[in-house]
């Protein structure tokens, strides 16, 4: 709904008393996703809303179905988990990570949840990032996405921003054990948001 979309957009704004009262009023008149999101916005002004999730906990949440359309909006929402910053679905999004257009076709629930919550446990060879020490002593970690005609190496960091290095500028380079996909990606999401996001991912066949 338009009201729910407005609430989701307000997540990027700082919380104050006036905004908090407005969100409480809206959340009392609408559905559960708005209520949960309103609570997150109000709390963001004081104590960050974070809850560490386990695979078992999230799997249990998914026994209640979510809304696919809302999940798609969350996937591409800058105020959401930020999935689109590294993943594409049908050409929409970035191509730093695996294309998720058919992710539900070959992954079972437990394995997919594990890859989301613990991305460093199992990484495909092409998605293993590099830790690079440049000649000036700067240390960076990123995924090598392509090389230029002049030998430039293009990397994507954990914040989804690209940086470029020349081989001559690199003093040391080795594979990293940590994925550039952030751990605890769903820790700031409500139960409803997780169900909706999963409904969208599960539809990608």
């Amino acid at each position: 709904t338009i009201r729910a979309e407005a609430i989701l957009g307000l997540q990027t704004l700082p919380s104050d008393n006036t905004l908090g009262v407005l969100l409480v009023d809206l959340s009392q008149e609408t559905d559960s996703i708005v209520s949960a999101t309103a609570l997150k916005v109000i709390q963001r002004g004081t104590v960050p809303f974070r809850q560490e999730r386990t695979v078992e906990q999230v799997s249990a949440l998914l026994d209640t179905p979510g809304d696919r359309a809302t999940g798609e909006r969350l996937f591409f929402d800058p105020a959401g988990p930020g999935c689109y910053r590294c993943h594409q679905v049908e050409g929409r999004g970035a191509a730093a990570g695996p294309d998720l257009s058919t992710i539900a076709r070959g992954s079972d629930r437990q394995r997919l949840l594990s890859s989301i919550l613990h991305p460093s446990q199992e990484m495909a060879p092409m998605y293993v990032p590099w830790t690079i020490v440049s000649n000036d002593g700067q240390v960076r970690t990123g995924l090598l996405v392509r090389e230029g005609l002049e030998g430039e190496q293009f990397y994507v960091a954990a914040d989804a921003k690209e940086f470029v290095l020349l081989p001559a500028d690199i003093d040391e380079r080795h594979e990293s054990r940590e994925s550039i996909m952030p751990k605890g990606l769903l820790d700031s999401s409500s139960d409803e948001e997780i169900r909706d996001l999963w409904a969208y991912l599960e539809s990608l066949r």
Side-chain angles (χ1 to χ4, degrees):
T1 65
I2 295 176
R3 190 185 296 264
E5 290 290 339
I7 293 291
L8 287 172
L10 286 171
Q11 290 188 77
T12 59
L13 299 177
S15 165
D16 59 25
N17 290 337
T18 303
L19 180 58
V21 171
L22 172 63
L23 291 173
V24 169
D25 290 342
L26 290 175
S27 68
Q28 290 173 346
E29 299 175 10
T30 52
D31 54 23
S32 58
I33 183 173
V34 175
S35 300
T37 307
L39 176 62
K40 287 171 62 177
V41 177
I42 293 168
Q43 290 182 326
R44 185 167 294 173
T46 53
V47 180
F49 183 90
R50 293 191 66 85
Q51 177 183 353
E52 187 173 349
R53 309 275 189 173
T54 66
V55 172
E56 293 73 22
Q57 288 171 338
V58 176
S59 183
L61 288 177
L62 301 181
D63 291 336
T64 301
D67 181 75
R68 180 198 179 280
T70 303
E72 182 176 3
R73 290 194 293 271
L74 286 169
F75 187 97
F76 293 104
D77 189 342
C83 313
Y84 73 96
R85 293 188 177 97
C86 290
H87 298 283
Q88 281 190 349
V89 173
E90 297 179 352
R92 187 180 171 196
D99 189 309
L100 302 185
S101 299
T102 59
I103 186 62
R105 185 182 299 171
S107 298
D108 59 49
R109 174 184 289 188
Q110 295 301 109
R111 184 170 184 180
L112 183 53
L113 284 178
S114 181
S115 68
I116 294 173
L117 297 176
H118 307 291
S120 299
Q121 284 188 356
E122 183 179 353
M123 294 184 287
M126 75 248 341
Y127 296 113
V128 174
W130 294 90
T131 297
I132 307 115
V133 181
S134 56
N135 294 334
D136 59 5
Q138 187 174 8
V139 180
R140 296 179 179 178
T141 298
L143 187 69
L144 179 63
V145 290
R146 68 184 187 280
E147 295 189 23
L149 296 176
E150 303 298 325
E152 309 99 319
Q153 297 178 353
F154 293 81
Y155 295 86
V156 173
D159 59 3
K161 294 181 179 179
E162 190 175 80
F163 62 92
V164 185
L165 292 172
L166 291 170
D169 298 328
I170 298 175
D171 182 56
E172 180 183 341
R173 191 182 81 150
H174 59 84
E175 292 184 351
S176 173
R177 296 182 180 179
E178 296 292 328
S179 171
I180 66 167
M181 181 173 172
K183 183 180 179 181
L185 200 59
L186 300 180
D187 289 354
S188 297
S189 299
S190 68
D191 294 353
E192 290 81 5
E193 288 171 335
I194 292 174
R195 293 187 185 109
D196 293 340
L197 185 59
W198 184 262
Y200 174 59
L201 293 176
E202 204 167 38
S203 72
L204 301 177
R205 298 182 179 275

